[in-house]
Amino acid sequence: MLSSRHQSAVKEIDAARCVGNWSTASTLAAKLPRNGSPGHDFSSIVCSEAELEEYLLSVKWDPLEHWKDDGTVQAADSAQPIIARYPMNISGSSGGGDKLLDGLEKRLQKVSKHTLTDEEKYQLQVVLAKVYFYGAKFDQCKQAVESLPTALPDEGTLSPAYAKQLYMAQMVMRGIAAEIEGDRGAAHTMYNKAVLAFKERLSSQAAIVVPRGSVSGSERGFREELVNWPEEALYRRAMMSLTLGDTASGIGELGSYISVMDNVTPPTFRAFRRLRANRLYMQMVRQRLGGDAAAQPPSAEVKDDVMLSHRRQLALLKATYAFPRASETHNEVLYEVDCAARDWELVQGFSRTDSLRLLEILYESVYLTFNSPRVLRHLVHTLVRFGDYHEASLAFGTYRELAG
């Protein structure tokens, strides 16, 4: 147990870990008592985690490549009806990742042989599990967390705030271990329990904290956080419901994920994964509307939700893709344009206000695809229906030039 003179440092460490300020957390932890005196083991745990997290934030990877088919609906009888890629790990990567993980594993195993408090034992087990997780040692990762409680721990003295993040991490790792074993029901239970327990202590809008070192943008070579545990729990909970065939719950949970991520800072964080999730959400809503459309027109609430989803998709497309290079076409943009035109028909968005919303998407898409003929066809049709025949003739002239 730490003496009173160290309480201030412990609080600062807790705050630094919560926001992902790992260099500060490591520096402060290193100042705690050493050589077996109080605080030595906690210091080793924090410094080990900080070393791991700082390395992970230096790893370059391509979210567009990693999640290029995430959310793709496959045959119902396939092994994976809806594709949900596992998070990135660094096993076998260049840059000394495996050597780092091996060193951290040995260090933490050595600390585990000391006399630890219950809080220190909990933190050590979760951090050690993270080391195994990022090294793709999933059996050992499962063993490290399976003895831990599945309820949110009571507030401790060492990390009253950050313990919630550790809890989310261990629950997500449990869920992914269950997924790997093919038990999607157990995985959903873990993700759902984590999300519900987390929201009991925090508002739904406070669930996602992005480390300061996480960088994302429209270019290759991202240094975006490999795994954000609360974000992962929210996302995978929805994907498990949809995979299990619980479409109603899955749509609601996917909508919850998208809504929470709308408020994330920076707004480009997980932009491409959110784009894929929003695409799947609209596909599921479209299928449900398709069965109801013949009976009665969609309600104003449903109509607004569909149009808002397309406006969100446009924003995510702009956050993900830069202006196209020569001979480059963004298929995600073309897919969105086709879906938007079809959905406006589905929800009967025929008013001038509704047409203006669609025109906004189409004009932005013309820019993103550098005058794609496919987009121009939709633009001409919508302008004619809107009654702007002059703009329609200009757009048609451009289309005719490009299409030959």
Side-chain angles (χ1 to χ4, degrees):
M1 185 120 183
L2 297 179
S3 63
S4 58
R5 70 188 181 92
H6 298 125
Q7 292 305 307
S8 176
V10 167
K11 289 180 181 179
E12 290 184 60
I13 291 170
D14 191 30
R17 293 169 86 188
C18 283
V19 298
N21 192 348
W22 297 109
S23 60
T24 298
S26 180
T27 300
L28 290 169
K31 294 178 180 179
L32 291 174
R34 303 177 184 180
N35 302 321
S37 55
H40 172 66
D41 294 323
F42 178 61
S43 173
S44 296
I45 295 168
V46 173
C47 288
S48 297
E49 183 185 33
E51 188 175 350
L52 170 65
E53 295 290 350
E54 284 194 302
Y55 177 81
L56 294 173
L57 286 172
S58 72
V59 174
K60 285 186 177 182
W61 65 295
D62 187 355
L64 277 70
E65 177 63 28
H66 183 70
W67 286 314
K68 63 184 178 182
D69 56 357
D70 226 43
T72 299
V73 179
Q74 304 189 106
D77 59 350
S78 65
Q80 195 175 21
I82 299 178
I83 296 175
R85 296 293 178 199
Y86 295 124
M88 282 284 294
N89 62 66
I90 58 173
S91 175
S93 63
S94 59
D98 289 328
K99 183 177 180 180
L100 171 72
L101 294 175
D102 289 341
L104 292 175
E105 179 183 347
K106 291 176 182 177
R107 185 192 307 170
L108 291 167
Q109 287 178 339
K110 183 178 179 180
V111 174
S112 70
K113 297 176 182 178
H114 299 169
T115 302
L116 305 175
T117 66
D118 289 343
E119 194 174 357
E120 287 172 335
K121 288 178 184 177
Y122 180 83
Q123 295 206 22
L124 183 140
Q125 285 299 106
V126 178
V127 174
L128 181 59
K130 287 167 68 175
V131 172
Y132 290 138
F133 180 86
Y134 286 113
K137 298 179 179 179
F138 298 114
D139 288 340
Q140 290 163 277
C141 175
K142 179 185 175 182
Q143 292 172 8
V145 297
E146 63 184 359
S147 62
L148 298 176
T150 58
L152 188 65
D154 295 329
E155 279 196 6
T157 57
L158 296 176
S159 306
Y162 187 67
K164 300 179 182 67
Q165 295 283 351
L166 291 174
Y167 171 74
M168 294 296 289
Q170 68 113 338
M171 294 299 284
V172 168
M173 287 186 281
R174 280 174 180 267
I176 289 176
E179 281 190 63
I180 291 172
E181 294 175 350
D183 193 346
R184 296 190 180 101
H188 180 270
T189 298
M190 291 297 172
Y191 300 138
N192 191 53
K193 193 168 185 176
V195 171
L196 294 178
F198 199 66
K199 288 183 177 180
E200 285 178 3
R201 302 281 183 92
L202 293 173
S203 73
S204 61
Q205 303 305 320
I208 309 300
V209 177
V210 182
R212 295 177 181 178
S214 181
V215 178
S216 56
S218 59
E219 297 179 359
R220 299 297 192 268
F222 294 66
R223 284 190 174 90
E224 187 173 89
E225 185 180 23
L226 297 185
V227 183
N228 184 290
W229 303 106
E231 183 262 345
E232 199 70 37
L234 283 163
Y235 178 75
R236 304 199 79 82
R237 176 180 68 158
M239 298 302 281
M240 289 304 99
S241 287
L242 293 172
T243 299
L244 291 166
D246 188 354
T247 305
S249 295
I251 290 175
E253 290 166 355
L254 195 57
S256 176
Y257 166 77
I258 293 167
S259 177
V260 169
M261 294 303 290
D262 279 345
N263 297 284
V264 75
T265 300
T268 54
F269 181 68
R270 290 289 190 268
F272 187 66
R273 188 188 219 184
R274 290 154 58 196
L275 183 153
R276 295 290 303 183
N278 194 52
R279 169 175 164 162
L280 176 61
Y281 175 79
M282 290 189 291
Q283 181 177 348
M284 292 295 169
V285 171
R286 190 178 304 120
Q287 290 177 357
R288 188 168 62 180
L289 282 176
D292 299 338
Q296 59 183 10
S299 65
E301 182 180 0
V302 170
K303 183 177 178 180
D304 287 343
D305 180 51
V306 169
M307 293 185 176
L308 175 63
S309 295
H310 281 287
R311 289 174 61 190
R312 177 189 293 114
Q313 194 73 348
L314 175 63
L316 291 170
L317 286 166
K318 290 167 69 176
T320 301
Y321 295 109
F323 189 75
R325 295 182 289 271
S327 303
E328 181 182 32
T329 301
H330 295 316
N331 290 328
E332 287 286 351
V333 181
L334 299 179
Y335 178 86
E336 160 57 16
V337 168
D338 288 343
C339 289
R342 185 182 332 127
D343 287 351
W344 253 251
E345 296 283 345
L346 186 62
V347 301
Q348 301 180 22
F350 304 137
S351 71
R352 289 183 65 82
T353 300
D354 293 339
S355 295
L356 280 172
R357 292 177 178 177
L358 179 56
L359 284 171
E360 178 186 357
I361 293 172
L362 294 174
Y363 275 119
E364 293 281 4
S365 299
V366 166
Y367 172 81
L368 287 172
T369 59
F370 195 39
N371 292 327
S372 162
R374 189 160 147 192
V375 179
L376 286 169
R377 285 198 301 271
H378 288 297
L379 179 60
V380 171
H381 175 75
T382 305
L383 285 168
V384 169
R385 187 167 63 187
F386 184 68
D388 193 337
Y389 301 112
H390 176 68
E391 283 292 323
S393 66
L394 294 176
F396 180 71
T398 303
Y399 169 77
R400 189 169 55 185
E401 289 289 329
L402 293 171

